[in-house]
Amino acid sequence: MNTEKKPIIKELTIEKFSQKGKAIAFDEKKNKIIITNAVLKDVILAKLNKRKRKGVIKGEIVEILKPSEYRDEPKCIHFDICGGCTWQNIKYFYQLEQKQNFLIDAFQDFIKNTNVEIFPIVKSKNIFEYRNKMEFSFSQNRKKTKFLGLIMKGGRFVIDVQRCYLANEWFSEVLNQIKNWWEIHDFDAFNYFNGEGFLKNLTIKEGKNTQDKMVILTTSDSYTLSDIEIKDFIDHIIKAIYPSKKISIFLNTQISKKGIKTTFNLQKLYGEDNIQEDLNIDALGEKIKLKFKIGPNSFFQPNTDMAQYLYSTAINYLKKEEIKNKIALDLYSGTGTIGMILSRFVKKVIAIELSENACQMAKDNMKLNNIKNFEMINGDVSKILNTLLSDKNFEKPEIVIVDPPRSGLGDEAIENILKISPEIIIYISCNINTQLEDIKILTNLDLINPDWTNKKYQLKILHPIDQFPHTFHIENIAILKKLDFD
Ligand SMILES: C[S@@+](CC[C@H](N)C(=O)[O-])C[C@H]1O[C@@H](n2cnc3c(N)ncnc32)[C@H](O)[C@@H]1O
């Protein structure tokens, strides 16, 4: 007797995308079904998992019966399994339309009840090879087969990547050369489940406008590379970028001991301490060129072309004549990019950033660009604002720019911004959900009976920018103005 149960195969039509970019269909019982690699309006035969998890059934395409008009041919051979860019099979114009719809859905209460103006999402200058930084992972299975690449779609396993079209070709050449190096030297990949093994990540960065290059190998402290192994590592990278030899190479060793906070030991193996990126900004009628040093640990917006556009657009919401004598706060400033551009137009900029390394970079960047009216403070935004606000000599800034991590601002930072009471808040975010929650509080809408006359701030503008083609991520600028300042 054949005991094997038949798989569940169903004909489905994809009805929408979830906010995380997943294709969703519903069966006759209205069960929500997520289908990997499907596109809105595809009619498919799908194989479904028998078990529902968290109210959702997962499935995969067996056959596309009627392809969606939005479907595109993925450029990448890894697309079916790689989690790097899940929307490569969707036409770019439709990716943009979806992102615009996500924003409109999220902010629908504001759209219905206020005069907020929503701009059409700005398309990315390049839709391939746009990233200036990639992080690849080392991994091994039980048979010790080696993988170096990106995390699988919806999974935790690493797939071997030969060519990644999110970044320039030399990234993949380095990746492939490091695979060759790994074949020669018998190191184990780090295993996150048992904490054993050595090789963790390979991070590659570049200055898009300078062609500067950087490679960082992150390992555990379970082994110390010999001089020969390091030389061979460097030689393989140089071979990948031939005929150029200009590159910075680092070894970043994670030091973990039970009961002691994890630290990193960063060692330069080759080249300069930093790479440089040049930004060309077109703001308030001026064309500005600024140079930024980027270190192995400092944050830089991953799509240089669109970062230039993002910063220019954000600053263009200010009025040149009105801000000359004003003070600006650049919160979550990273290496001080936005603040340094703005410093040209205002009396002074105070920047706050948690990463010590990014603060050091910012100080170097001030010197590099001969900027004098920029103060960099290292620390947590909420704590530093507490300290500043308790100083009776603190001159309250009239302009506040925030660009927090995905988790958003948090209550204490919001409370402090409200205490500062700036005329304008420019809120840049890569997570529209946390941005929305924070804006509800800033505009006094966290109440059970929201007051749409907005007692504190009014949300005036939403200006989305596509920094991440082929992913569902949206970068969004929100402009909030104090009620009396229009
Ligand atoms: C999205 S990045 C923005 C950086 C910068 N505005 C730029 O465009 O390059 C967010 C920054 O916030 C910093 N950060 C995260 N939590 C923080 C906190 N609690 N206080 C201060 N900075 C923080 C991170 O180190 C990171 O540099």
Side-chain angles (χ1 to χ4, degrees), residues 140-330:
Q140 272 171 299
N141 60 13
R142 286 208 184 117
K143 288 182 190 156
K144 294 280 176 204
T145 312
K146 294 170 175 175
F147 301 90
L148 174 56
L150 293 166
I151 311 284
M152 233 174 150
K153 268 193 186 107
R156 41 185 195 194
F157 299 111
V158 174
I159 63 152
D160 220 30
V161 169
Q162 280 139 43
R163 172 71 170 102
C164 175
Y165 289 100
L166 289 183
N168 270 338
E169 197 173 358
W170 76 267
F171 280 54
S172 301
E173 272 157 19
V174 169
L175 193 68
N176 289 315
Q177 279 300 333
I178 296 307
K179 277 181 212 160
N180 295 343
W181 172 77
W182 192 15
E183 286 307 325
I184 301 167
H185 305 278
D186 209 16
F187 311 120
D188 277 339
F190 185 79
N191 181 329
Y192 285 87
F193 299 104
N194 62 18
E196 288 169 10
F198 180 55
L199 298 172
K200 294 182 109 175
N201 304 103
L202 188 76
T203 308
I204 309 181
K205 298 188 185 190
E206 79 174 331
K208 281 270 179 196
N209 291 331
T210 58
Q211 310 301 309
D212 280 4
K213 299 178 175 62
M214 179 182 278
V215 174
I216 308 139
L217 174 67
T218 304
T219 69
S220 76
D221 56 358
S222 63
Y223 178 76
T224 305
L225 288 172
S226 69
D227 289 349
I228 292 172
E229 286 157 350
I230 288 177
K231 184 178 177 306
D232 203 26
F233 179 72
I234 297 168
D235 287 347
H236 274 83
I237 293 171
I238 302 284
K239 199 167 162 189
I241 62 162
Y242 181 83
S244 169
K245 280 185 171 179
K246 192 169 177 279
I247 192 159
S248 298
I249 305 176
F250 289 86
L251 176 63
N252 197 21
T253 310
Q254 184 172 356
I255 300 163
S256 314
K257 289 203 173 63
K258 263 193 183 162
I260 298 174
K261 202 175 157 213
T262 300
T263 54
F264 286 90
N265 179 27
L266 186 70
Q267 184 192 348
K268 188 177 78 178
L269 304 179
Y270 183 87
E272 302 289 323
D273 291 351
N274 307 291
I275 54 170
Q276 187 178 306
E277 179 64 297
D278 294 345
L279 290 185
N280 300 307
I281 304 295
D282 192 348
L284 303 178
E286 288 188 30
K287 297 220 185 300
I288 308 164
K289 186 168 182 159
L290 289 176
K291 303 166 193 163
F292 288 95
K293 280 191 177 178
I294 304 171
N297 290 323
S298 53
F299 175 87
F300 202 82
Q301 295 287 351
N303 180 338
T304 301
D305 286 326
M306 296 320 284
Q308 293 173 158
Y309 193 87
L310 177 79
Y311 298 145
S312 306
T313 307
I315 291 176
N316 277 333
Y317 280 111
L318 297 167
K319 295 194 178 101
K320 195 172 176 182
E321 283 312 308
E322 290 176 13
I323 61 174
K324 265 194 279 191
N325 295 316
K326 297 199 167 158
I327 300 177
L329 263 184
D330 176 7

Side-chain angles (χ1 to χ4, degrees), residues 395-407:
E395 279 183 85
K396 285 187 180 169
E398 294 93 347
I399 302 160
V400 170
I401 300 189
V402 298
D403 183 7
R406 294 188 64 74
S407 52

Side-chain angles (χ1 to χ4, degrees), residues 7-12 14 23 33-38 44-49 57-64 71 80-81 152:
I8 307 172
I9 305 279
K10 272 208 167 101
E11 183 179 324
L12 296 168
I14 303 301
I33 302 167
I34 289 181
I35 308 287
T36 313
N37 293 339
I44 54 167
L45 266 190
K47 186 172 134 196
L48 306 185
N49 284 355
I57 300 170
K58 284 192 176 170
E60 60 192 64
I61 300 174
V62 175
E63 191 187 338
I64 301 175
R71 242 182 200 280
D80 283 346
I81 52 169
M152 233 174 150

Side-chain angles (χ1 to χ4, degrees), residues 299 301 311 332-334 337-338 353-355 379-381 403-405:
F299 175 87
Q301 295 287 351
Y311 298 145
Y332 310 88
S333 68
T337 33
I338 312 174
E353 164 59 45
L354 190 61
S355 154
D380 169 69
V381 161
D403 183 7

Side-chain angles (χ1 to χ4, degrees), residues 307-374:
Q308 293 173 158
Y309 193 87
L310 177 79
Y311 298 145
S312 306
T313 307
I315 291 176
N316 277 333
Y317 280 111
L318 297 167
K319 295 194 178 101
K320 195 172 176 182
E321 283 312 308
E322 290 176 13
I323 61 174
K324 265 194 279 191
N325 295 316
K326 297 199 167 158
I327 300 177
L329 263 184
D330 176 7
L331 304 181
Y332 310 88
S333 68
T335 50
T337 33
I338 312 174
M340 283 190 213
I341 302 162
L342 188 58
S343 70
R344 206 176 177 98
F345 302 103
V346 294
K347 188 166 111 188
K348 184 183 173 184
V349 175
I350 303 169
I352 305 177
E353 164 59 45
L354 190 61
S355 154
E356 221 179 302
N357 183 274
C359 287
Q360 190 48 54
M361 288 287 112
K363 286 177 186 162
D364 292 349
N365 291 332
M366 275 169 68
K367 280 189 206 140
L368 198 64
N369 294 293
N370 197 21
I371 293 171
K372 304 250 164 34
N373 60 341
F374 183 94

Side-chain angles (χ1 to χ4, degrees), residues 66-97:
K66 185 169 174 278
S68 158
E69 66 207 85
Y70 306 127
R71 242 182 200 280
D72 209 351
E73 195 55 45
K75 182 176 171 115
C76 176
I77 54 162
H78 307 294
F79 172 75
D80 283 346
I81 52 169
C82 180
C85 40
T86 46
W87 274 9
Q88 222 190 90
N89 61 346
I90 303 173
K91 287 188 175 129
Y92 185 55
F93 88 89
Y94 194 67
Q95 294 180 26
L96 294 174
E97 206 173 303

